[in-house]
Amino acid sequence: MCGIVGYVGTKQALPILIEGLKRLEYRGYDSAGVALVADDAIRITKSAGRISVLEQCLDHDDNAITGIAHTRWATHGAPNDINAHPHTDQSERFAVVHNGIIENYRALRTYLQNQGVEFKTDTDTEVLAQLIALVYDGNLEETVRKALHEVRGTYGIAVVCKDEPGVIVAAKRGSPLLVGIGEDEYIVASDASAILAHTSQVVYLEDDEMVRVSQDGLRTTTLEDIPVTKRIQEIEWTLDQIELGGHEHFMLKEIYEQDAALQNCMRGRIDAENGTIHLGGIADVARELTRAKRIILTGCGTAWHAGLVGEYLIEDLARIPCEVEYASEFRYRNPIIEDGTVVIAISQSGETADTLAALEEAKQRGALALGVVNVVGSSIARTTDAGIYLHVGPEIGVASTKAFSGQVVVLSMIASYLGRRRHMSQPAAEQLLSALDRIPAQITSVLEQNDACKKVAQDYVDRENWLYLGRGYQYPVALEGALKLKEISYIHAEGLAAAEMKHGPIALITDDMPVVFIATQGSQYDKVTSNIEEVRSRGGRVIAIATEGDRQIAELAEAVIYVPDTLEPLQPLLTVIPLQLIAYHAAVLRGCNVDKPRNLAKSVTVE
Ligand code: G6P
């Protein structure tokens, strides 16, 4: 969603701001803009559409050394030139970029209009720019502080003032903001990827904190003006991880990274030989967690699908009652949190607004709140009592791939850890962990089936409706396969528990409909093959994901992609890979923008 970059230093700001904006493109946006401060003026350029459009409108010789920039994902007002950020006050003394939503903007707007302020845009952000101008007392930092006291809602903001060139004031509540510290320069950003090319030293702002950066240094305070000493942290990602490096798309790069990413995720955590698991991130709460009476997993989108696999894993291996909830539903339905309830938020970005709010709700009601998060230092990671990072590296493609696999691996480690502490025998733990240890190598061999996956995409890409069916551990994989296809290729696809097909969706099956069965050998194999027969007898075109060596399935399906055998609880880690590849190739064949699908955002920071 929206992205912020701001630069104060000794270099020309514009190229640094544009490069930062491009690094934020993956988050999803519909317009972009830049404000440069110099010569007693603020020069603003903004436009709807891609950053390449903005670049055509810019004066690339502008050598201002201070500026702020933004990519906008419209919430209030259409995605046009006028509503793009930065926004200014009437006198154009201030420029503001803002992520989040100002909830009381209507009341503030009416108040300001009554004071004679005329508005140019439909945005909530302009209200903030006008409010800052109204309360201006000659000191930018003080003024922003005063204005923010009137604001309800969420924000990450960066503000400049033409009277104080060389200064950026930024603040945060509920929307991420960090400051990169370079040599004689500071880069304010909403996402580490915007600053990595310049520095890996960062300071993360907490909610209700503000920062003033200038050539004189960095000063962090609370909204109440209490000075805060911040720890400088090192971003663990490297620049090549956020670059294409010869790959055509980030999604394909990230699909192919899954073997190495999962090795990273498991490194130092599992000891297959001795059947032990070390999860340092939850060591402090291990006792409470082991005694949990109920675990609730919550998340959105792909993370929710990983949670569904987690539910099977935790009930199966740890024998603790577990349920999965969409974060957006959980937070608003007055959930019952009894003693012994543990809530685990699952999130790649660690910034998804609904997941964060669900976690806060759970904490407030007394649950032990844990996180399974990829982005270190993200809002969800900071809100939890404890948690386990995925360590799968940055995920740039909007369609989540390696993060899903990482989430499933972490959940299987949590389930085995709890199982072992509760009832699981040493040999059973050894068997499970050895199988987990083999998964990265097995993924490498599944990736070798890329051509077979591409052939499936080629053969069926012109069909507009697909079904994905699976049972047990493969049911969430069916949901995830369908989501991958629809989000990047815009083909309508539905994922179902295979047995549910006969209660309605079977009516959809015609002799032209691709039906993807995840039909690996396991406890429900025979049931799944019966479902395949039901589809075949109605003319459906069956594509099967099956276990290597299964000859029977080749007689039932038009196309088969084989995956190596593993223990049933770990099969999703292998079966999801061909589904990611089929979706990827279908999207490429249909000429879709794989990494930036229409209307979608990588990190959904609004409700
Ligand atoms: C967005 C993304 C999805 C992602 C979901 C949850 O919708 O497009 O790929 O699964 O948000 O994101 P999170 O960062 O919390 O895992």
Side-chain angles (χ1 to χ4, degrees):
M1 290 202 149
C2 303
I4 290 175
V5 201
Y7 178 83
V8 168
T10 51
K11 300 183 194 137
Q12 188 193 4
L14 187 57
I16 294 169
L17 294 174
I18 293 296
E19 191 252 352
L21 286 186
K22 287 184 179 164
R23 301 270 184 202
L24 297 177
E25 274 195 297
Y26 79 97
R27 297 172 63 94
Y29 69 105
D30 41 47
S31 55
V34 174
L36 296 166
V37 198
D39 314 323
D40 203 24
I42 294 180
R43 291 184 285 281
I44 293 188
T45 313
K46 48 193 199 174
S47 68
R50 295 274 162 207
I51 291 164
S52 52
V53 178
L54 174 71
E55 279 182 294
Q56 287 163 22
C57 313
L58 283 163
D59 169 10
H60 291 273
D61 294 329
D62 192 316
N63 51 19
I65 53 173
T66 307
I68 54 176
H70 192 259
T71 45
R72 172 175 189 250
W73 191 88
T75 57
H76 294 67
N80 54 26
D81 292 359
I82 294 196
N83 289 332
H85 298 212
H87 290 290
T88 59
D89 62 301
Q90 291 184 117
S91 63
E92 303 200 345
R93 173 175 269 145
F94 302 93
V96 179
V97 290
H98 165 223
N99 290 356
I101 292 179
I102 296 178
E103 284 164 6
N104 59 338
Y105 88 101
R106 280 180 202 283
L108 290 173
R109 191 174 166 113
T110 309
Y111 168 75
L112 288 160
Q113 279 167 333
N114 290 340
Q115 308 290 313
V117 173
E118 281 180 26
F119 281 83
K120 299 182 289 277
T121 79
D122 307 321
T123 64
D124 52 338
T125 306
E126 188 188 352
V127 167
L128 190 54
Q130 303 283 14
L131 183 63
I132 287 171
L134 191 79
V135 297
Y136 185 48
D137 61 5
N139 177 321
L140 179 62
E141 185 185 344
E142 277 313 308
T143 302
V144 172
R145 179 173 286 116
K146 215 187 292 175
L148 288 178
H149 276 120
E150 306 304 321
V151 163
R152 266 203 341 265
T154 56
Y155 52 79
I157 56 163
V159 189
V160 288
C161 173
K162 71 174 179 152
D163 301 340
E164 295 185 45
V167 177
I168 296 178
V169 172
K172 159 186 160 44
R173 179 184 288 165
S175 209
L177 211 64
L178 45 102
V179 184
I181 303 170
E183 236 173 77
D184 299 324
E185 62 186 10
Y186 295 100
I187 303 170
V188 176
S190 53
D191 183 321
S193 56
I195 61 171
L196 251 187
H198 307 281
T199 178
S200 57
Q201 306 273 296
V202 285
V203 159
Y204 292 97
L205 288 197
E206 297 293 333
D207 278 354
D208 294 332
E209 284 182 355
M210 292 180 60
V211 65
R212 178 188 190 276
V213 284
S214 72
Q215 280 301 299
D216 302 335
L218 167 149
R219 178 178 127 87
T220 34
T221 51
T222 64
L223 269 192
E224 306 306 326
D225 199 16
I226 299 166
V228 186
T229 309
K230 302 295 292 184
R231 193 161 63 89
I232 298 177
Q233 301 188 42
E234 182 82 19
I235 302 172
E236 64 165 35
W237 294 347
T238 57
L239 198 55
D240 60 318
Q241 285 181 306
I242 59 165
E243 290 185 335
L244 274 171
H247 291 266
E248 212 169 319
H249 296 102
F250 279 108
M251 183 182 177
L252 192 62
K253 177 180 183 237
E254 287 156 8
I255 290 173
Y256 271 88
E257 276 170 3
Q258 285 176 106
D259 42 7
L262 295 192
Q263 261 167 356
N264 242 345
C265 175
M266 289 185 238
R267 183 162 301 126
R269 289 170 165 172
I270 66 167
D271 177 351
E273 254 171 52
N274 296 306
T276 51
I277 308 160
H278 311 279
L279 298 174
I282 53 169
D284 288 349
V285 296
R287 229 173 117 88
E288 205 179 331
L289 181 58
T290 310
R291 291 176 176 179
K293 296 205 183 89
R294 190 164 70 113
I295 295 180
I296 300 171
L297 303 173
T298 190
C300 306
T302 289
W304 182 76
H305 293 159
L308 287 177
V309 182
E311 178 186 23
Y312 284 72
L313 285 162
I314 288 170
E315 295 209 335
D316 203 5
L317 306 179
R319 306 300 298 150
I320 299 174
C322 182
E323 61 203 75
V324 192
E325 285 239 27
Y326 284 120
S328 53
E329 291 299 317
F330 175 81
R331 61 178 298 201
Y332 287 120
R333 67 165 185 82
N334 199 9
I336 297 169
I337 303 284
E338 294 155 316
D339 238 21
T341 303
V342 177
V343 173
I344 307 182
I346 306 168
S347 174
Q348 187 287 127
S349 63
E351 300 297 346
T352 303
D354 282 323
T355 311
L356 181 58
L359 191 70
E360 279 163 350
E361 180 71 31
K363 267 185 94 165
Q364 215 190 339
R365 289 173 186 249
L368 174 66
L370 304 186
V372 172
V373 171
N374 194 31
V375 179
V376 175
S378 55
S379 302
I380 292 175
R382 290 202 310 271
T383 306
T384 52
D385 296 312
I388 299 173
Y389 283 119
L390 305 183
H391 292 313
V392 295
E395 191 178 70
I396 306 290
V398 165
S400 186
T401 52
K402 64 176 178 175
F404 173 82
S405 304
Q407 287 156 354
V408 173
V409 164
V410 169
L411 289 165
S412 55
M413 290 192 292
I414 293 176
S416 323
Y417 176 84
L418 292 177
R420 186 73 188 104
R421 287 173 73 102
R422 287 165 66 101
H423 63 83
M424 194 189 281
S425 70
Q426 169 83 8
E430 280 171 24
Q431 193 199 16
L432 188 77
L433 296 181
S434 307
L436 194 53
D437 201 35
R438 282 195 297 276
I439 289 288
Q442 291 182 315
I443 288 180
T444 312
S445 80
V446 179
L447 290 168
E448 285 161 10
Q449 308 242 31
N450 181 41
D451 287 346
C453 297
K454 190 172 181 178
K455 170 97 175 45
V456 168
Q458 279 163 342
D459 290 348
Y460 302 96
V461 73
D462 55 343
R463 310 303 199 286
E464 289 302 330
N465 293 292
W466 294 42
L467 282 183
Y468 284 73
L469 303 177
R471 282 173 174 252
Y473 279 100
Q474 305 297 1
Y475 158 52
V477 179
L479 298 184
E480 177 59 7
L483 177 65
K484 286 289 90 77
L485 188 71
K486 73 184 124 184
E487 67 184 339
I488 56 167
S489 74
Y490 317 141
I491 294 172
H492 173 245
E494 217 178 309
L496 296 166
E500 279 299 298
M501 177 187 67
K502 57 186 170 295
H503 299 294
I506 199 165
L508 294 170
I509 293 170
T510 62
D511 60 4
D512 215 22
M513 186 182 225
V515 183
V516 181
F517 275 94
I518 301 103
T520 40
Q521 273 160 356
S523 55
Q524 303 204 46
Y525 177 75
D526 292 339
K527 305 270 179 218
V528 177
T529 48
S530 304
N531 296 137
I532 293 181
E533 295 286 11
E534 287 157 15
V535 168
R536 267 162 55 90
S537 61
R538 285 159 184 87
R541 321 284 296 268
V542 174
I543 300 153
I545 312 299
T547 307
E548 264 169 21
D550 182 354
R551 297 279 153 253
Q552 183 194 340
I553 209 94
E555 286 162 27
L556 299 177
E558 281 185 15
V560 186
I561 312 280
Y562 287 106
V563 298
D565 196 14
T566 184
L567 298 179
E568 196 168 346
L570 305 179
Q571 285 178 356
L573 291 163
L574 302 179
T575 52
V576 77
I577 310 279
L579 304 188
Q580 295 168 345
L581 284 167
I582 290 170
Y584 170 78
H585 290 298
V588 172
L589 288 164
R590 287 169 76 109
C592 299
N593 188 341
V594 174
D595 286 333
K596 295 175 209 120
R598 71 180 177 213
N599 306 335
L600 293 182
K602 181 68 184 159
S603 175
V604 180
T605 49
V606 296
E607 277 183 46

